[in-house]
Amino acid sequence: MKKFFKIFLYLVILIFLIIILDMTRVNKNFINKPIIEISKYNINSSFLKSIYNTFDYLITNHKFNESISQKQFNPFYNEKRFISLNSENYLLKSDSKRFRSYANKKNIFNNSNWTRSHGNYQSNRFSYLDKINKSNFKNIEKKWEISFPKKYERDIQCNPIIKNGIIYFPTNSGSILAIDGKTGSAKWLRNGFSRYVARRGILISEENFLYFSDNKNLISLKASDGQFNNQFGKNGFVKLTGSSSVAPVIYKNIILTVTFDKTIEAFDVNTGKNLWNFSFEDPNNNKKINGKKYFNNGGNPWGGISLDKHRGILFITTGNASSYFDGTQRPGLNKFSNSLIAFDLNKKKILWNFQEVYHDIWNLDIPAPPILSSVKLKNNKKLDVVIAVTKLGNTLIFDRESGEHLFDIYYKKSPLSKLLGELTSSHQISQSIPEPFSKNIFNDDQITNINPESKKYISNLIANKKYGFFETYEFNKQNIQFNFHGGAEWPGASVDHNTGVMYVTSNEIPWITGVKIIDKKTNKITSTFKRLKDIEGYPGSKPPWGKITALDLNNGKIKWQKPFGNYEDLNLKNNKDEVIDSGTENFGGVTGSAGGLLFATGTLDSKFYIFDSDNGKKLKEFKLPFIGSAPPSIYETGGKQYILVVSTGSFSLKQGYPEKVSFGNKLIAFGLK
C-alpha cells in the first residue's frame, strides 16, 4: 500500500511539474510583460489544461464575498465625463473640441487591384471601378466558374485578393491557390496547411510576397510561383505566441498581426525576426478577486485589424469575454473585450480604447474589422474616423487619434444577475444615433406574424422565458435574445469614402439561451443556446430575418433598409398585398462599387444579389451552387471589370439549418457580356 501511495505521489508531483513547465513562458520580446511568466493561459496541451482546470475547481472557492461593492462594476464610477440624465440613464456627450483627425491624410481607394482581404489596410471594401454600373447591369453574366481541391467540410470565409489580374485565396483542402483572373485557369497550388489557413484574410505586399496566418504560424510565399519565401523566418514560417486568423498589415518594413493570446506581434517583413510583442489582455488576468481566481480567456481579436499608415495607428476589434453566458469566473467589466482598440505603433502603447458591452454575458462581440474612412461634419470639415459595426446593430464612429466619438453615447440601467458570484454592469449601451441597423432587444412585439399558427406556437414556447434589455441569466430559466449570431457578423461592412455611406448586411434571428450547472460539486456552469424556430422551422420572430442597410455615417441616419435573401416558399405579403422577401440569416457580406451597385452573398437561399446602392432596389440575382461564404472582391484585368464570388456553403448556417446547407468548392467570376 505504501509503495502504491509513493508511486501515486510521484505521479502527481510529475504531472504538477509538467503543468508548471507548460505554464511557464519566456517573454523575451514582450515590451509590457515580465520576462518569465507562469500562467494558466500559457498551457498549450489540452490534456494538461483539462487536468489544471479540474484541480483548480477542486481547490478554489467558487462563492464570492457577497459584500463586494457594486461600484466596482459601475462603468461610470469615478468617471467625470458621464452625465447623469436621471436615476437610470447616463450620457457620454460627444465633444467636438477633442477632434484631432481632420482629413489631411489620404484614404486608400481600390481600383484594378484588391491587395488585402476587405480591399486594403483601411478595410473599407469598396471598389472605385465603374465599368459595371446601373446602365449595363442587365448584361452581367457568369464569365467562369472553377472547382478547387476540397478535403475538409468547411467554408471559405477569406475575402480573396487580386493583384495584376492574379487571384490568391485559401481552399478548403488546406492550400493556397493562385489563378488567372481573366480565364479562371490555375497558376499554382501550394499544399500542406491546415483547414484554418488564411481563415479571415490574406495580404500581398508591393514586393509580391503573400502573407497569411495558419494557426500559430505567420507564413510568406512568393506570389510568382507559390514557393516559400525562405528569407522570411524558417523556410517561410515564423512562430506566433497564439493562433491568428486575420489578414496582417505592413508598416515601415514591419509586418504586424494579432493573436488569440491577445497580443500584437511585430516581425521584420524581410527576415521574419520577431521585433516586439505587446499584450492587450484584461489586466485582471492572473489575479484573485476576493479570494476568487479570475478566469477570462476571451476578448480575442478574431474580427480583424486595420492600419492608418500615415498616423502609425493600428486598430483592433475584439470579441466577447469567455464562457458565453457565465461570467462568474471573471468579475469586473472585463476590459479590452467587446472593444475597439487604437494602438500607437511608434510609441508602442495603447492610444485609446472603447468597450461597447461591459462584462458581456450575451456573446455580443465586435465581430468585424475596423473600417477607416472620413465623414463630413456640420461645419463642412472632413474628419478621418474609425468605424466598427457590432452584433448589437450599432455603428461606432470615433476620431482616429483622440478616440472621441462622433455622436453622443447613451447608457441605460440594466438588470443585475441573480447568479451567485455574477456581478454584471449596472448600465449598458443604448444607442439611437447612429440608428441601429438591426433589432437588438426581443419583446412580445417581435413574435412571428407569418401565420396565426406560428404566432401561437412561439407565444406558448416563450411564455415562461426571460427577455428584455440585457436580461441576465438564472438557473432553470431560459432567455430569448437577438444577436447571438449578429446583427453584424465577421463579414462587416462596405464604406464609400466619397459619400460617407456604409452598406452592411445583418441577421435578426432570435435565440433560446441559458445556463446550467454540469457539476454540482464545483458549481461548474455551461452555456446553452439554439435558434428559436416555429413548428415549421422558420425563425420565431417577425421577418425580415436578414437585412441589407445603407447608413449615412455623416448624420447617423439610415438611408434605406431592405430584406436580404428569401424563403421563396413563404410567399409573404406587405400591407399593400405585394409579395415581399422574408430575408434570411446570412454570412457572406456586401461589397459596394462606384458604378452605383452593391454585390452581396451569404443568404440561406444560395443566391448572389445585385442591388441599386441609391435605394436598395434588387436589380438582379444568380443562383449559386453553394451559399456564398465571403464578401465579393472586385478587380480589373485585360481592361474588363469582374466581381468574384466564393461559393462554399456556410459553417454557421450548417449548424442551424443542416438540411438546407452543404459544403462545396466553387469560385465564380461575373462580368459583362
Side-chain angles (χ1 to χ4, degrees), residues 15 21 47 57 72 88 96 109 217 253 288 291 299 343 381 412 417 427 511 522 597 615 624 648 666:
I15 292 173
L21 185 63
F47 174 69
Y57 277 115
Q72 285 184 267
E88 295 197 346
S96 60
F109 289 77
N217 292 306
N253 294 319
K288 286 186 178 181
F343 185 81
K381 287 185 178 180
K412 182 178 174 182
S417 176
H427 291 72
W511 288 69
T522 63
L597 302 175
N615 53 31
L624 299 173
T648 65
K666 300 290 185 181

Side-chain angles (χ1 to χ4, degrees), residues 269-409:
V269 74
N270 298 309
T271 66
K273 180 183 177 183
N274 187 196
L275 301 175
W276 54 265
N277 299 329
F278 183 93
S279 173
F280 56 89
E281 70 179 356
D282 186 339
N284 283 317
N285 277 3
N286 304 320
K287 291 183 179 180
K288 286 186 178 181
I289 297 181
N290 282 41
K292 170 67 182 154
K293 286 189 177 180
Y294 185 97
F295 184 79
N296 179 14
N297 60 357
N300 293 322
W302 58 270
I305 58 177
S306 296
L307 172 68
D308 184 331
K309 290 186 71 173
H310 297 283
R311 294 180 173 91
I313 305 174
L314 183 73
F315 295 93
I316 308 163
T317 48
T318 66
N320 59 290
S322 63
S323 303
Y324 285 155
F325 314 134
D326 169 27
T328 59
Q329 307 296 312
R330 46 177 172 83
L333 301 177
N334 304 150
K335 190 173 183 179
F336 298 132
S337 61
N338 308 78
S339 295
L340 173 61
I341 301 170
F343 185 81
D344 188 319
L345 291 169
N346 296 311
K347 295 181 180 179
K348 298 183 181 63
K349 68 175 187 178
I350 291 177
L351 196 59
W352 57 266
N353 71 282
F354 176 83
Q355 186 174 3
E356 182 191 28
V357 178
Y358 299 115
H359 190 83
D360 180 16
I361 53 170
W362 304 273
N363 190 37
L364 296 174
D365 309 68
I366 300 184
I371 301 168
L372 307 185
S373 192
S374 301
V375 297
K376 186 180 287 187
L377 303 175
K378 291 180 180 179
N379 59 9
N380 286 325
K381 287 185 178 180
K382 293 202 79 174
L383 187 74
D384 289 341
V385 295
V386 54
I387 305 142
V389 292
T390 79
K391 280 188 175 181
L392 276 173
N394 288 330
T395 305
L396 307 174
I397 311 173
F398 301 91
D399 178 292
R400 293 189 205 171
E401 295 178 48
S402 68
E404 183 63 27
H405 37 99
L406 190 64
F407 300 98
D408 295 345
I409 299 177

